[in-house]
Amino acid sequence: MALLELIDVTKHFKVSSGLLGLKTGTVRAVDGVTLSVERGQTLGLVGESGCGKSTLAKCIMGLEPVTSGEVLFGNRSIAAWDEKKLRSKIQMIFQDPYSSLNPRQKIGSIIREGLDIHGIGSKDERREKVEQLLKLVGLRPEHGRRYPHEFSGGQRQRVAVARSLALAPKLVVCDEPVSALDVSVQAQVLGLLKDLQKKLDLTYVFISHDLSVVSHICDKVAVMYLGRIMEIGESRNLFADPKHPYTKALLSAVLRPDPTNRPERIALTGDLPSPMAPPAGCPFHPRCPEAFDKCRNDRPELMDQPDGMRTACWLYGEQ
Ligand code: SF4
């Protein structure tokens, strides 16, 4: 059963300039996204910087109201949820464990903050809960009396994980949670997230620009480009047989341990077009090595593939 459903979600920002603040354009940060995440599963959102994945995460959290479409959490529109209750059910882990923790606050107080705000438990119960959370993420209870600067990057991210779990959320949005960490530490934090998912029946939305990280943790992956989903499906199918030329290009850049099993590198030319003026037809056509005439005029929607993938590309659907 789906815990999170997005139905044709768009998020557009008006851009204005000049003294009179006249509207000069619209940024289509998220442009018609439909997807669902089952309970206890992990959905990966991947794509280059500026593709709209972080804006989509804010829409899921209810931090940005959607322009149109609907975000359903537990079968109920997030607009209908009590804001305080929604905050306790959906939590976020941020990219940078250095700036996401207040350097003047002790670790125990950082983790306890949510419990204090929501008035959960007595003072002793909250202290006990913080100790349990520290142990749960592989730290020691006495670490609660220290400050963030006394910890390594990996330990700080463990603190951020403990803080996100204090209110017993159902959904955790992880925004590039390991990209600021060394590779060896990345593996430890990913392992921790997986263990916690099993223990606590958590559902994750995992945002990353790094497909090799996504392949380790995600059950399902959505590839985003200019605010739209280009390809979505089971992680194993996407990595074994990517179809969309953009997915193939992203995957070709992933380093693999076996040098004899590396796909030929597909170098994308040009920059990501402006989301204020997305290209006509397929949004990827100005950079696509396989573009043909139809791609320049007609926009492909996601089309079902025999292996269960859904792909927005004319090479894989009616032409
Ligand atoms: Fe490339 Fe055309 Fe497919 Fe778009 S629809 S990804 S331009 S081949």
Side-chain angles (χ1 to χ4, degrees), residues 57-166:
K58 286 183 189 153
C59 294
I60 292 170
M61 299 277 304
L63 298 174
E64 286 284 2
V66 298
T67 306
S68 64
E70 201 159 25
V71 180
L72 300 176
F73 176 69
N75 272 334
R76 191 151 40 119
S77 167
I78 55 161
W81 277 82
D82 169 69
E83 198 181 335
K84 212 170 168 190
K85 192 141 195 204
L86 188 69
R87 289 283 154 269
S88 68
K89 299 279 177 203
I90 309 180
Q91 285 286 309
M92 193 157 189
I93 300 170
F94 298 93
Q95 174 178 3
D96 186 355
Y98 292 88
S99 60
S100 70
L101 304 179
N102 183 347
R104 291 193 196 91
Q105 227 178 336
K106 286 185 181 170
I107 296 300
S109 153
I110 290 173
I111 297 173
R112 204 184 56 236
E113 204 166 20
L115 299 171
D116 293 341
I117 290 169
H118 286 255
I120 295 171
S122 65
K123 207 173 164 192
D124 283 347
E125 283 166 341
R126 289 180 209 171
R127 200 191 55 238
E128 219 170 277
K129 178 76 183 170
V130 169
E131 290 182 358
Q132 283 169 6
L133 286 164
L134 282 165
K135 282 191 212 158
L136 193 64
V137 298
L139 296 171
R140 294 197 302 275
E142 59 268 29
H143 284 149
R145 294 190 287 278
R146 298 188 191 166
Y147 287 94
H149 73 265
E150 297 176 63
F151 292 90
S152 66
Q155 286 174 318
R156 287 180 199 215
Q157 206 54 314
R158 285 174 188 267
V159 172
V161 172
R163 174 177 60 183
S164 76
L165 299 178

Side-chain angles (χ1 to χ4, degrees), residues 1-6 35-45 56-63 71-78 81 84-94 160-175 193 196-197 200-207 219:
M1 194 176 133
L3 178 68
L4 177 73
E5 263 186 281
L6 274 60
L35 54 80
S36 63
V37 192
E38 303 296 306
R39 279 174 204 274
Q41 299 246 302
T42 302
L43 168 79
L45 283 179
L56 188 60
K58 286 183 189 153
C59 294
I60 292 170
M61 299 277 304
L63 298 174
V71 180
L72 300 176
F73 176 69
N75 272 334
R76 191 151 40 119
S77 167
I78 55 161
W81 277 82
K84 212 170 168 190
K85 192 141 195 204
L86 188 69
R87 289 283 154 269
S88 68
K89 299 279 177 203
I90 309 180
Q91 285 286 309
M92 193 157 189
I93 300 170
F94 298 93
V161 172
R163 174 177 60 183
S164 76
L165 299 178
L167 296 172
K170 296 284 171 215
L171 175 70
V172 181
V173 178
C174 311
D175 190 0
L193 289 172
L196 292 171
Q197 182 170 42
L200 306 173
D201 194 26
L202 293 169
T203 305
Y204 293 140
V205 172
F206 193 96
I207 298 169
D219 302 289

Side-chain angles (χ1 to χ4, degrees), residues 11-313:
K11 178 65 197 177
H12 296 170
F13 296 97
K14 290 193 176 110
V15 180
S16 47
S17 66
L19 278 177
L20 298 175
L22 294 175
K23 185 185 154 194
T24 53
T26 302
V27 174
R28 297 164 173 272
V30 177
D31 207 12
V33 168
T34 295
L35 54 80
S36 63
V37 192
E38 303 296 306
R39 279 174 204 274
Q41 299 246 302
T42 302
L43 168 79
L45 283 179
V46 297
E48 292 162 284
S49 297
C51 71
K53 48 194 193 310
S54 291
T55 304
L56 188 60
K58 286 183 189 153
C59 294
I60 292 170
M61 299 277 304
L63 298 174
E64 286 284 2
V66 298
T67 306
S68 64
E70 201 159 25
V71 180
L72 300 176
F73 176 69
N75 272 334
R76 191 151 40 119
S77 167
I78 55 161
W81 277 82
D82 169 69
E83 198 181 335
K84 212 170 168 190
K85 192 141 195 204
L86 188 69
R87 289 283 154 269
S88 68
K89 299 279 177 203
I90 309 180
Q91 285 286 309
M92 193 157 189
I93 300 170
F94 298 93
Q95 174 178 3
D96 186 355
Y98 292 88
S99 60
S100 70
L101 304 179
N102 183 347
R104 291 193 196 91
Q105 227 178 336
K106 286 185 181 170
I107 296 300
S109 153
I110 290 173
I111 297 173
R112 204 184 56 236
E113 204 166 20
L115 299 171
D116 293 341
I117 290 169
H118 286 255
I120 295 171
S122 65
K123 207 173 164 192
D124 283 347
E125 283 166 341
R126 289 180 209 171
R127 200 191 55 238
E128 219 170 277
K129 178 76 183 170
V130 169
E131 290 182 358
Q132 283 169 6
L133 286 164
L134 282 165
K135 282 191 212 158
L136 193 64
V137 298
L139 296 171
R140 294 197 302 275
E142 59 268 29
H143 284 149
R145 294 190 287 278
R146 298 188 191 166
Y147 287 94
H149 73 265
E150 297 176 63
F151 292 90
S152 66
Q155 286 174 318
R156 287 180 199 215
Q157 206 54 314
R158 285 174 188 267
V159 172
V161 172
R163 174 177 60 183
S164 76
L165 299 178
L167 296 172
K170 296 284 171 215
L171 175 70
V172 181
V173 178
C174 311
D175 190 0
E176 303 266 10
V178 296
S179 55
L181 305 175
D182 292 340
V183 175
S184 58
V185 182
Q186 283 186 2
Q188 292 168 15
V189 174
L190 288 175
L192 172 69
L193 289 172
K194 272 176 147 178
D195 286 350
L196 292 171
Q197 182 170 42
K198 262 193 221 145
K199 270 186 206 155
L200 306 173
D201 194 26
L202 293 169
T203 305
Y204 293 140
V205 172
F206 193 96
I207 298 169
S208 181
H209 65 278
D210 185 342
L211 276 168
S212 58
V213 167
V214 164
S215 69
H216 282 102
I217 190 155
C218 296
D219 302 289
K220 193 172 169 184
V221 178
V223 179
M224 283 189 76
Y225 187 79
L226 277 185
R228 300 179 66 81
I229 294 182
M230 297 286 106
E231 188 152 54
I232 184 167
E234 296 289 319
S235 179
R236 61 175 183 276
N237 292 339
L238 185 123
F239 286 98
D241 184 20
K243 295 173 180 60
H244 198 284
Y246 182 54
T247 314
K248 286 183 190 167
L250 291 179
L251 273 174
S252 76
V254 173
L255 282 177
R256 296 180 193 219
D258 178 3
T260 60
N261 183 25
R262 276 187 198 153
E264 199 183 320
R265 178 81 195 259
I266 303 167
L268 291 178
T269 52
D271 294 328
L272 193 69
S274 165
M276 272 178 79
C282 171
F284 186 55
H285 87 254
R287 302 170 79 194
C288 179
E290 301 184 54
F292 54 102
D293 277 352
K294 187 177 175 68
C295 309
R296 290 177 248 285
N297 302 310
D298 299 336
R299 192 167 73 184
E301 299 298 332
L302 286 168
M303 291 174 270
D304 292 334
Q305 306 303 316
D307 60 0
M309 300 291 300
R310 304 196 73 219
T311 306
C313 172

